[in-house]
Amino acid sequence: MLDRFKESVLLQVLTLVLLGPACEASSLGLTVHVEPLESDGGNTVRAHFTAIAPNPCPALSGLCSDGEEDCLVYPTSQPFTGTKPNSGWCVRQWQKTVPSDYNATIDLGSNTQFYVSIKASPVIRANNGKLNQPAFIALPPPLRARVNCSQYFSLSVKDLDTDRVSCRFARADLGECVSCTEHSFIELDNRKCKLKFTGKAAAGQYFIYLMAEDRIANPKISEVIENKPLSAVPVHLSLTVEEWASSCSDVPVATGDTPNKDSMLFVLPYQQVNFTTDFTSQLESVSEIAVVGPPELFRVGFKSVGSVATMNMRWVRSENKLARLLPICFAANTKSFQSEPRCVWLYQREIMTLPAGTELTCEDTEMTLVLPLDSLSEINLEELQLNSPTCPISYNSTHLTARISLSGCGTETLHAGSELVYTNTLQSVRPYTMVSRIPSLILPLACRIPKKVNVTGPNYVMSSPTDEEVFGKIRVWIELHFPGEGPMSKFTKRPRFRNLHMSPGRLSREAEYPSERNSNRTSTSSIDNSTTTNSTNNSTSNDDGLSTTTSTGTMGSRISILDLHVMSNCSLSQAKMLVSNCYESETEDFATSNPIMEQGCTSSSSTLEIVTSQTNSRVYRLDLSTVEAQGTLMYIQCTVNLCIAFMPSEECPDLCSRSLNSKSVVSSLLTRSYTIQSSPISLVVTTTAPTTTTVKGPTTTKKTTTTTTTATVTTMLTSSHAPEQASALAAGVIVTTMSIFLQNIFLY
């Protein structure tokens, strides 16, 4: 009997291990972009690897052997990293020349190992006589989903030969993966490369192994018989399923100027690509915009205030050995949600060799172009112009000449690695209504200024002013006081209240959960009994002319009302404090918390803001009878920013306004988000006793002794230091490239 019991327990344990989430040290994502090498007929390929590894981020050492010429790692000045899932992650990228049929186990550091299978044997295409190009698949940031919430994930795919790309699960019996059991809760639409998570999975992390295949597209009438795949390349994904018991529809949504899904941006040499990503999240603020893209993709200006988040991305095409197609994938993460991943593609246009006799001379203030006319025999010279049509172009019977100012003529200045680059373009310009089969010219021009000698020119370091440079040394903190007490007593003793809007997400959840709505209705009356509404100024005030007093009650009785002071020491009169979120919790780690404010909106109609004349601080009256904490202590944590509007006629954004968008956020100067937390707050009346206040800063911690009646208050000190500016340097290097495109041919 005992033996049977042991066997039963062992069987249950094995069942849990087999059915539970994967836990081996695997990558959180992997793609390989394969380019066949013409030099040996495609028997070898240049494989461009992009892998997402869990933290701690592994080193790049060991991927390439010493002296290995066909292997190159990509260190970057701004690595791709993310905090969600909670383990955190980073991106590692490298390229290596490998056989066209390649199978290998690759170790990335000591904690990440993955198996790669590439099937790209050379195939000469019948339609153009060239080697077949395998499909390109974009790698999204680590995917996130929630228990009992179904979700779709569309992979972004491209093919240089315009073949049809499909996806299927990798098969161990074909040597494409190791331990790659398919999950019953993951469905795959092969033709669309679209995954569906059914929601029927336990919380945990799971790995998905796919192969992407390219096929010559058949006419629709003959799609019954499918062509054999020309190649197959690996795609590894991770899916983190998180616990959730509420609405499934509150994910962040891409808005504003965010590029369309799968859009293509064509890039010439030394051209800068610049685009903005905007997201709106109704229930939780966006904590990060996670990105996976090419090396040296700069992400600048991330702002997340209330329900809006925005970030700018910039990439400069300098000399590189990257693949011709480069995907950039991004997704907005909040504490509990992830937006639908979105990808855009950069196409590095191929450039023809310049004709003999072409010269571009870089000088201190201008560059001079000399171009032989025999190379432009089919080009209409009268259609040629620079970025600015006001700069003259001259030509005679043998040569075309252009003198191009580095500070005019539409010349652009950009930063590529350690170089300052001045760029302009000589190109054919025709009226939009004109259709012609005559070839057109696109000739990018660039003068590179390496870091060697001092040179006058614009500062090319992409940075924003630090908080300290604009607002001074900022200190923000939380205080809790009885009404009529504390540094804002003159406002809280005879208060005027500003009614706060309920967050849209909270309203929809209350409609879904009546018990929560009833609780809010009950809590409203506890404050409304002592106030009347002034409809003309959207505020509430005491109309009896007497100051507000609150009895502390007998020893041990529960406190009914406290005023939450969110304070700052900023002395700028135009600075305004924005409070995005405040949460209360019974534990210091906020493992379980309840919202007081979300996205600048109140989470309960019983929370009111007290109107003050100080814009750098905020005061809120809390009805503690509505607090869900059942014990005698609670903690409060808030996220705040300071804001200055760029123009005197403008105002900082109202975080709870329905008209809030990324443009209103960008038009204001905001500090980074500061998260401040209180010490334990007593919910019952206690005797006056000395307490300790902890002052936290970036590098120092000190303690001071204060006296309070009911609560201990934590003050958080935050400060920033201005980074050193890199000086502009120089010596001219001539770089020119030219490409002649037929107007009636379109690249895709």
Side-chain angles (χ1 to χ4, degrees):
M1 190 72 177
L2 182 61
D3 291 339
R4 286 188 177 181
F5 174 74
K6 291 180 178 179
E7 290 176 0
S8 176
V9 172
L10 178 60
L11 180 60
Q12 292 178 19
V13 171
L14 289 175
T15 301
L16 289 173
V17 170
L18 292 174
L19 295 181
C23 58
E24 69 269 17
S26 178
S27 71
L28 299 179
L30 170 79
T31 56
V32 185
H33 296 160
V34 175
E35 294 183 311
L37 298 179
E38 301 273 357
S39 56
D40 66 353
N43 289 309
T44 58
V45 299
R46 182 176 290 115
H48 302 267
F49 294 85
T50 298
I52 304 176
N55 286 337
C57 197
L60 290 167
S61 57
L63 291 173
C64 298
S65 305
D66 293 338
E68 190 175 3
E69 296 182 357
D70 60 352
C71 186
L72 176 66
V73 298
Y74 294 124
T76 179
S77 58
Q78 192 180 13
F80 298 102
T81 59
T83 61
K84 294 291 183 180
N86 290 331
S87 59
W89 52 269
C90 69
V91 173
R92 286 293 183 246
Q93 295 172 302
W94 70 100
Q95 71 172 49
K96 191 171 185 177
T97 301
V98 299
S100 56
D101 285 328
Y102 178 71
N103 297 283
T105 299
I106 299 175
D107 291 310
L108 192 57
S110 59
N111 64 334
T112 303
Q113 184 182 81
F114 49 88
Y115 179 82
V116 173
S117 175
I118 299 173
K119 299 180 177 181
S121 297
V123 175
I124 303 298
R125 299 181 63 88
N127 59 348
N128 59 16
K130 297 181 179 180
L131 284 169
N132 178 67
Q133 302 291 321
F136 285 73
I137 299 87
L139 179 63
L143 304 177
R144 300 170 62 202
R146 290 158 290 163
V147 174
N148 295 325
C149 291
S150 62
Q151 192 167 343
Y152 288 93
F153 302 100
S154 296
L155 298 182
S156 184
V157 299
K158 296 289 183 183
D159 190 277
L160 290 172
D161 300 318
T162 66
D163 290 332
R164 183 173 63 81
V165 180
S166 61
C167 299
R168 60 174 175 81
F169 289 110
R171 294 172 52 182
D173 60 323
L174 298 179
E176 298 169 340
C177 58
V178 178
S179 301
C180 49
T181 304
E182 296 180 20
H183 303 294
S184 60
F185 48 83
I186 297 293
E187 300 174 358
L188 174 63
D189 185 330
N190 299 64
R191 284 182 168 269
K192 296 181 179 180
C193 286
K194 188 174 184 178
L195 292 164
K196 179 185 177 181
F197 169 63
T198 64
K200 306 303 181 183
Q205 194 168 75
Y206 302 89
F207 301 102
I208 305 166
Y209 302 94
L210 306 174
M211 299 295 289
E213 300 175 330
D214 61 322
R215 291 177 170 84
I216 296 176
N218 281 332
K220 290 185 177 181
I221 58 174
S222 60
E223 282 190 353
V224 176
I225 303 175
E226 190 171 51
N227 289 327
K228 293 182 179 180
L230 301 174
S231 65
V233 292
V235 185
H236 299 175
L237 304 171
S238 66
L239 175 64
T240 300
V241 181
E242 301 167 358
E243 294 285 0
W244 187 249
S246 186
S247 171
C248 293
S249 60
D250 296 315
V251 298
V253 178
T255 58
D257 297 327
T258 306
N260 294 329
K261 290 176 59 176
D262 304 331
S263 57
M264 183 84 79
L265 306 176
F266 297 95
V267 191
L268 293 169
Y270 294 101
Q271 183 180 354
Q272 177 174 275
V273 176
N274 187 349
F275 63 88
T276 299
T277 56
D278 299 324
F279 287 92
T280 299
S281 176
Q282 293 298 337
L283 193 58
E284 297 178 346
S285 293
V286 173
S287 58
E288 66 179 1
I289 298 179
V291 182
V292 179
E296 300 305 329
L297 174 71
F298 288 92
R299 287 89 66 206
V300 296
F302 172 69
K303 295 181 181 180
S304 178
V305 181
S307 60
V308 172
T310 183
M311 186 172 71
N312 185 264
M313 299 191 209
R314 306 174 189 173
W315 188 76
V316 177
R317 180 182 172 181
S318 57
E319 293 182 4
N320 64 71
K321 296 182 178 180
L322 302 174
R324 211 185 319 169
L325 278 176
L326 302 173
I328 302 174
C329 297
F330 48 90
N333 283 322
T334 72
K335 179 182 178 181
S336 308
F337 309 106
Q338 182 182 63
S339 69
E340 178 187 19
R342 181 172 293 197
C343 300
V344 299
W345 292 82
L346 307 180
Y347 188 105
Q348 298 195 90
R349 278 178 164 167
E350 293 184 289
I351 302 301
M352 297 174 61
T353 305
L354 287 171
T358 303
E359 295 181 3
L360 178 67
T361 305
C362 297
E363 301 173 355
D364 291 341
T365 60
E366 66 180 13
M367 49 181 158
T368 303
L369 171 68
V370 177
L371 191 63
L373 289 185
D374 56 7
S375 62
L376 306 176
S377 58
E378 298 183 1
I379 300 296
N380 185 348
L381 299 181
E382 294 182 356
E383 295 177 345
L384 296 179
Q385 63 179 236
L386 297 165
N387 287 353
S388 173
T390 60
C391 288
I393 298 171
S394 60
Y395 50 87
N396 54 28
S397 59
T398 59
H399 288 82
L400 177 147
T401 304
R403 301 180 68 86
I404 308 164
S405 171
L406 298 184
S407 58
C409 295
T411 301
E412 298 179 352
T413 309
L414 50 90
H415 174 222
S418 61
E419 296 176 326
L420 185 65
V421 183
Y422 295 93
T423 66
N424 210 308
T425 304
L426 178 67
Q427 58 187 323
S428 301
V429 178
R430 295 168 180 162
Y432 290 113
T433 57
M434 181 178 179
V435 178
S436 174
R437 293 185 178 274
I438 299 175
S440 60
L441 171 72
I442 300 178
L443 174 59
L445 310 169
C447 279
R448 299 187 304 175
I449 313 298
K451 268 191 173 181
K452 291 183 180 179
V453 186
N454 287 332
V455 60
T456 58
N459 182 3
Y460 60 89
V461 176
M462 293 186 297
S463 62
S464 301
T466 64
D467 292 354
E468 185 173 346
E469 289 173 329
V470 178
F471 295 87
K473 291 187 176 181
I474 302 172
R475 190 168 67 90
V476 290
W477 68 95
I478 289 175
E479 295 182 14
L480 276 298
H481 297 280
F482 285 123
E485 298 181 3
M488 297 287 195
S489 58
K490 66 178 180 179
F491 303 108
T492 63
K493 183 173 293 186
R494 184 176 295 172
R496 287 193 309 117
F497 295 112
R498 178 182 293 114
N499 291 324
L500 300 175
H501 297 291
M502 290 277 287
S503 64
R506 176 62 55 175
L507 288 172
S508 62
R509 290 176 65 187
E510 287 189 1
E512 186 175 352
Y513 301 101
S515 60
E516 186 175 345
R517 181 177 68 250
N518 293 336
S519 173
N520 287 332
R521 284 178 176 173
T522 303
S523 65
T524 303
S525 61
S526 61
I527 287 185
D528 287 350
N529 287 340
S530 62
T531 60
T532 59
T533 301
N534 185 333
S535 60
T536 60
N537 61 6
N538 195 32
S539 65
T540 306
S541 62
N542 289 330
D543 58 358
D544 55 7
L546 301 176
S547 61
T548 300
T549 58
T550 302
S551 172
T552 59
T554 60
M555 187 70 62
S557 62
R558 292 189 72 85
I559 299 170
S560 59
I561 294 178
L562 280 178
D563 287 342
L564 168 64
H565 295 58
V566 187
M567 310 288 291
S568 82
N569 68 338
C570 182
S571 59
L572 297 178
S573 59
Q574 65 270 40
K576 179 180 179 180
M577 175 176 283
L578 305 179
V579 181
S580 298
N581 305 299
C582 284
Y583 297 92
E584 56 89 3
S585 175
E586 294 188 64
T587 59
E588 189 174 6
D589 60 2
F590 281 76
T592 302
S593 62
N594 300 293
I596 299 173
M597 294 183 63
E598 291 178 310
Q599 314 290 44
C601 305
T602 180
S603 298
S604 168
S605 56
S606 64
T607 299
L608 300 173
E609 181 181 358
I610 296 177
V611 178
T612 73
S613 61
Q614 296 181 218
T615 60
N616 66 342
S617 300
R618 298 280 188 174
V619 182
Y620 302 96
R621 180 147 295 178
L622 305 182
D623 180 4
L624 299 187
S625 65
T626 66
V627 171
E628 298 189 27
Q630 301 299 314
T632 59
L633 293 176
M634 76 171 182
Y635 299 80
I636 291 180
Q637 177 176 285
C638 295
T639 301
V640 303
N641 304 78
L642 288 173
C643 169
I644 295 178
F646 281 134
M647 301 296 293
S649 59
E650 297 176 345
E651 294 183 355
C652 290
D654 180 358
L655 301 188
C656 197
S657 171
R658 293 184 180 273
S659 62
L660 178 65
N661 54 45
S662 59
K663 292 183 178 179
S664 61
V665 172
V666 172
S667 63
S668 301
L669 188 60
L670 296 166
T671 65
R672 66 179 178 87
S673 296
Y674 295 91
T675 299
I676 51 179
Q677 183 176 317
S678 73
S679 291
I681 302 167
S682 175
L683 297 178
V684 297
V685 177
T686 61
T687 57
T688 302
T691 61
T692 300
T693 299
T694 304
V695 182
K696 299 180 180 179
T699 57
T700 61
T701 301
K702 63 180 181 179
K703 290 188 176 182
T704 60
T705 301
T706 62
T707 301
T708 68
T709 302
T710 62
T712 307
V713 180
T714 295
T715 304
M716 178 169 287
L717 175 65
T718 52
S719 62
S720 302
H721 302 281
E724 295 182 0
Q725 297 279 339
S727 59
L729 307 179
V733 176
I734 301 174
V735 173
T736 63
T737 47
M738 178 177 68
S739 179
I740 299 179
F741 298 96
L742 292 177
Q743 188 173 8
N744 61 332
I745 294 180
F746 296 90
L747 271 174
Y748 183 73

